């Protein structure tokens, strides 16, 4: 069910402001692709354009082609709601639904798609998704407690369980560990390794070690200059990127020397 | 820690003690406490006044309550029915409309439409209630006569709820009309409050729902309503409070009768407690004044009860989730 993403000539706007310019890349199926780059370079913006979440902001729009499974996501007539059911997303800060129990949080997306589920089918999905997110053993005795009662790392894994419960083709993660402690971060990174067997994963991270640890491919975004749009500087296998990057700017960023 | 709480034996060295804000904080917290207590004091004052002045109103000789009633219960029950029927009609009409308008303003309409609509709705609150009364009595009532007839024809034959839609009034100055006028009057306050709480829904929760493939309406149901529930109840309670206490509009619109009737289309209906006080105040005898205050006391207590009940219902589901 993992699918590749072909991105060609994508420009992303906030109103009249061009935020990201001319991105071309191919995200491989069943691999982990990481985006790195300084704050404000448009990597999160680009990530959000992959499941049409970018346009939720008033005035925001995307030009160019993003093709998943032979279908351009931005073709007229494509419903963004349908896109988001295929391309799941995990956010920077854990955001379980505060009024729902752990159980209902996992099923939230599925209920939208399938309506009422039979009790035992629902139980099965909840267990499978929570096991998939490495959370089952910690919460199996309190599934009916609110999701907000969990620790930050557990909440984030709950959000991952919620995203994979609808069995998307692609999973986007926007700095999923930046609000977590190192132990929770390590748990999520282990999880990413397991998840890539079933999903194409795209992750934005500020942590270079994390990109090096979890990803197969890495894209480096940067601003050409202050006030200029962000762009994709280099896109290569992670091993090459961190050992022998093509672009001197990439090397400067990775080794901690900017500009 | 803002200030040492007690005069400790060894006070902290000067540099560790609170340097600034100590006095300011105390003044502010004192002022806030005073404001809070003054509300309680005002409520208690109202209650004590009503109780002292009204207590004798419960047990007057039969002729004081006449000519249409013989006891306090017989006097107040039709008024209570009138009060609550008109208010409930107002809520049934205004609440869905207000929630809908608030949702459009906060989540659906583009900003260039939302801002003027919000402004116009707020303006409705600035219209004096006498104006609503005049409009309701001399314009709206006549226009609603065909609707009364239609309701009677179509809903009248249905068992049980048919009682509400009995023989319609030819003038249209009915409880239903009064309820509709009240609905327009309470619309702005309910809209303004719900709009505010809807728009405070954390972006994070909304995006969580959208990213799962929720449509906008599904997103609203999953995140906006649960988040705003307590505020929505507050808004309805404030609207209900205004409807229960509204005097002028009901006084002017309704043609007053004294018989207890469930027919909201009737030619004459029992008026509301507040309107009744306004109507009778001028022809008062000392005895009747006590009775009027007693009816005010009943309304006061019932409003309290309704409010607590609503809070308790909301609080119960929230406490369940907080465990």
């Amino acid at each position: 069910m993992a699918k590749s993403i072909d991105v060609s000539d994508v420009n992303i706007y906030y109103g009249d402001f061009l935020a990201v310019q001319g991105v071309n890349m191919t995200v491989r199926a069943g691999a982990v692709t990481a985006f790195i780059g300084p704050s404000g370079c448009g990597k999160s913006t680009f990530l959000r354009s992959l499941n049409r979440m970018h346009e939720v902001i008033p005035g925001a729009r995307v030009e160019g082609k993003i093709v998943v499974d032979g279908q351009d996501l931005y073709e007229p007539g494509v419903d963004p709601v349908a896109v988001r059911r295929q391309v799941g997303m995990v956010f920077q800060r854990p955001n379980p639904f505060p009024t729902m129990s752990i159980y209902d949080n996992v099923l939230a997306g599925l209920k939208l798609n399938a309506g009422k589920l039979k009790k035992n089918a629902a139980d099965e999905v909840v267990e499978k998704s929570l096991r998939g997110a490495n959370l089952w053993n910690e919460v199996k005795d309190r599934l009916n407690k609110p999701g907000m009662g969990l620790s930050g790392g557990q909440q984030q894994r709950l959000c991952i369980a919620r995203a994979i419960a609808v069995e998307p083709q692609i999973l986007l993660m926007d700095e999923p560990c930046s609000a977590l402690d190192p132990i929770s971060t390590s748990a999520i990174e282990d999880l990413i390794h397991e998840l890539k067997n079933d999903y194409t994963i795209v992750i934005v991270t500020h942590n270079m070690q994390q990109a090096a640890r979890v990803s197969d491919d890495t894209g480096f975004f940067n601003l050409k200059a202050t006030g200029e749009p962000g762009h994709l500087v280099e896109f290569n296998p992670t091993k090459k990127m961190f050992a022998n990057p093509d672009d001197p700017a990439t090397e400067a960023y990775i080794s901690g020397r900017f500009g | 820690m803002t200030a040492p709480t007690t005069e400790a034996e060894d006070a902290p060295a000067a540099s560790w003690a609170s340097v600034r804000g100590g006095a300011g904080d105390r003044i502010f917290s004192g002022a806030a406490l005073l404001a809070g207590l003054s509300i309680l004091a005002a409520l208690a004052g109202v209650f004590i006044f009503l109780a002292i002045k009204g207590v004798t109103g419960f047990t007057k000789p039969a002729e004081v309550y006449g000519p249409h009633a013989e006891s306090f219960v017989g006097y107040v029950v039709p008024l209570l029915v009138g009060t609550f029927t008109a208010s409930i009609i107002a809520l049934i009409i205004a609440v869905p409309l207000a929630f809908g308008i608030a949702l459009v303003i906060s989540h659906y309409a583009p900003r260039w439409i939302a801002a003027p609509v919000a402004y116009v709705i707020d303006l409705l609150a600035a219209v004096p209630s006498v104006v609503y009364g005049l409009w309701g009595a001399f314009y709206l009532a006549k226009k609603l006569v065909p609707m009364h007839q239609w309701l009677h024809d179509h809903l009248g034959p249905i068992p049980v709820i048919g009682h509400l839609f009995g023989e319609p009034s030819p003038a249209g100055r009915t409880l239903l009309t009064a309820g509709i006028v009240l609905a327009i009057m309470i619309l702005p306050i309910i809209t303004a409050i719900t709009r505010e709480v809807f728009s405070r829904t954390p972006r994070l929760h909304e995006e969580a729902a959208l990213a799962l493939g929720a449509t906008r309406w599904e997103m609203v149901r999953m995140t906006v309503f649960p988040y705003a529930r307590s505020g929505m109840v507050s808004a309805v309670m404030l609207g209900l409070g205004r409807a229960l206490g509204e005097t002028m509009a009901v006084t002017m619109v309704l043609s007053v009768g004294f018989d207890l009737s469930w027919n909201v289309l009737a030619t004459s209906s029992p008026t509301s407690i507040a309107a009744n006080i306004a109507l009778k105040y001028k022809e008062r005898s000392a005895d009747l004044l006590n009775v009027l205050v007693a009816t005010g006391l009943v309304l006061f207590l019932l409003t309290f009860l309704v409010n607590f009940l609503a809070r308790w219902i909301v609080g119960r589901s929230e406490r369940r989730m907080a465990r």
Side-chain angles (χ1 to χ4, degrees):
Chain A
M1 65 182 126
K3 293 278 162 35
S4 63
I5 313 171
D6 290 303
V7 179
S8 38
D9 298 326
V10 162
N11 296 327
I12 307 176
Y13 295 85
Y14 289 98
D16 294 330
F17 175 68
L18 178 59
V20 181
Q21 189 176 32
V23 177
N24 290 284
M25 70 166 71
T26 297
V27 174
R28 283 191 289 137
V32 178
T33 302
F35 296 155
I36 58 172
S39 293
C41 67
K43 55 198 186 309
S44 287
T45 302
F46 177 70
L47 187 80
R48 289 164 63 91
S49 72
L50 296 180
N51 68 342
R52 297 193 63 168
M53 279 298 284
H54 175 63
E55 67 204 50
V56 170
I57 297 157
R61 66 202 161 85
V62 175
E63 287 172 359
K65 283 180 106 175
I66 296 177
V67 178
V68 174
D69 199 14
Q71 174 64 56
D72 180 7
L73 302 184
Y74 284 91
E75 202 170 272
V78 171
D79 183 359
V81 169
V83 170
R84 292 176 202 138
R85 286 178 186 183
Q86 303 289 328
V87 185
M89 188 162 194
V90 176
F91 293 83
Q92 185 172 356
R93 293 174 57 92
N95 55 357
F97 295 118
T99 50
M100 291 187 195
S101 65
I102 294 170
Y103 188 92
D104 290 334
N105 258 294
V106 177
L107 288 178
L110 213 59
K111 278 183 180 156
L112 295 174
N113 295 322
K116 280 257 178 289
L117 272 113
K118 287 223 173 59
K119 175 85 172 93
N120 49 1
D123 288 348
E124 225 165 80
V125 171
V126 169
E127 177 168 352
K128 180 165 164 248
S129 306
L130 286 172
R131 279 191 193 283
N134 278 341
L135 191 59
W136 175 252
N137 286 331
E138 290 156 67
V139 301
K140 64 183 175 198
D141 300 321
R142 45 172 172 158
L143 291 175
N144 290 316
K145 303 277 165 168
M148 295 299 273
L150 300 173
S151 76
Q154 289 173 326
Q155 286 185 24
Q156 193 63 299
R157 277 178 284 153
L158 177 59
C159 292
I160 294 173
R162 182 175 68 186
I164 61 179
V166 293
E167 308 201 331
Q169 297 167 348
I170 296 161
L171 198 56
L172 308 178
M173 297 183 168
D174 188 0
E175 300 183 41
C177 303
S178 65
L180 305 182
D181 68 83
I183 294 168
S184 305
T185 299
S186 152
I188 303 259
E189 286 180 7
D190 292 345
L191 179 56
I192 291 171
H193 272 296
E194 292 166 26
L195 289 174
K196 78 172 181 182
N197 299 321
D198 296 319
Y199 305 94
T200 303
I201 294 176
V202 185
I203 178 171
V204 165
T205 177
H206 269 295
N207 181 331
M208 239 97 60
Q209 288 78 32
Q210 182 170 62
R213 281 193 300 263
V214 301
S215 72
D216 303 297
D217 295 323
T218 301
F220 171 54
F221 285 79
N222 204 352
L223 297 170
K224 282 178 181 139
T226 314
E228 296 279 303
H231 67 129
L232 180 64
V233 177
E234 182 172 349
F235 188 82
N236 263 322
T238 302
K239 283 207 178 76
K240 176 170 166 49
M241 195 85 158
F242 280 86
N244 181 23
D246 289 336
D247 196 298
T250 313
E251 190 178 11
Y253 183 75
I254 288 171
S255 59
R257 295 178 286 109
F258 308 106
Chain B
M1 203 165 103
T2 51
T5 46
T6 53
E7 300 287 318
E9 293 88 320
D10 46 342
S15 58
W16 293 98
S18 177
V19 200
R20 70 198 136 71
D25 278 356
R26 275 196 297 279
I27 291 169
F28 180 76
S29 85
L33 184 67
L34 201 68
L37 289 178
S38 68
I39 293 190
L40 288 179
L43 264 181
V46 170
F47 177 76
I48 292 166
F49 167 82
L50 287 174
I52 292 174
K53 292 282 184 183
V55 72
T56 56
F58 292 116
T59 51
K60 293 285 182 188
E63 63 266 22
V64 177
Y65 300 109
H68 303 283
E70 290 172 347
S71 68
F72 183 74
V73 173
Y75 187 83
V76 81
V77 166
L79 292 175
L80 273 179
V81 171
T83 307
F84 276 88
T85 316
S87 300
I88 287 166
I89 293 171
L91 284 186
I92 289 172
I93 297 168
V95 167
L97 202 58
F99 287 179
I101 295 169
L103 204 55
V104 166
I105 293 172
S106 67
H107 282 83
Y108 282 83
R111 194 164 295 163
W112 61 270
I113 288 186
V117 169
Y119 182 67
V120 169
I121 298 281
D122 284 351
L123 271 186
L124 280 180
V127 178
S129 59
V130 175
V131 175
Y132 282 110
L134 281 173
W135 174 74
F138 296 112
Y139 181 82
L140 185 68
K142 286 193 204 81
K143 297 281 176 192
L144 288 181
V145 170
M147 190 183 91
H148 283 64
Q149 189 62 48
W150 188 91
L151 284 172
H152 173 65
D153 291 345
H154 290 82
L155 300 177
I158 301 173
V160 187
I161 61 165
H163 290 295
L164 292 171
F165 304 101
E167 201 53 43
S169 155
R173 295 175 63 169
T174 58
L175 267 179
L176 180 64
T177 306
I180 290 171
V181 172
L182 284 178
I184 298 168
M185 298 177 70
I186 66 177
L187 192 64
I189 193 159
I190 303 180
T191 308
I193 294 171
T194 44
R195 184 189 71 208
E196 198 59 32
V197 288
F198 285 168
S199 63
R200 296 265 168 101
T201 311
R203 180 120 205 110
L204 209 60
H205 298 161
E206 295 180 359
E207 291 195 340
L210 289 175
L212 283 174
T215 61
R216 206 183 308 207
W217 170 237
E218 287 165 339
M219 178 271 280
V220 165
R221 272 198 343 221
M222 286 167 82
T223 62
V224 177
F225 286 161
Y227 179 80
R229 189 168 46 198
S230 166
M232 288 157 84
V233 172
S234 290
V236 172
M237 283 301 119
L238 279 172
L240 177 64
R242 183 157 185 212
L244 288 175
E246 177 49 44
T247 311
M248 280 323 291
V250 178
T251 311
M252 295 168 80
V253 170
L254 196 62
S255 80
V256 179
F258 295 93
D259 294 328
L260 179 54
S261 152
W262 296 104
N263 181 4
V264 300
L265 311 177
T267 313
S268 65
S269 300
T271 186
S272 74
I273 288 178
N276 182 60
I277 294 175
L279 284 168
K280 299 282 174 61
Y281 186 67
K282 271 179 284 181
E283 43 168 295
R284 68 180 190 267
S285 61
D287 284 342
L288 185 60
L289 188 62
N290 286 337
V291 175
L292 292 179
V293 173
T295 61
L297 180 61
V298 171
L299 181 62
F300 181 81
L301 292 176
L302 270 173
T303 312
F304 240 73
L305 197 69
V306 171
N307 216 324
F308 274 124
L309 204 66
R311 285 276 144 228
W312 180 73
I313 291 168
V314 176
R316 193 179 51 168
S317 59
E318 267 161 23
R319 279 193 298 275
R320 200 174 56 223
M321 281 322 292
R323 257 187 283 130

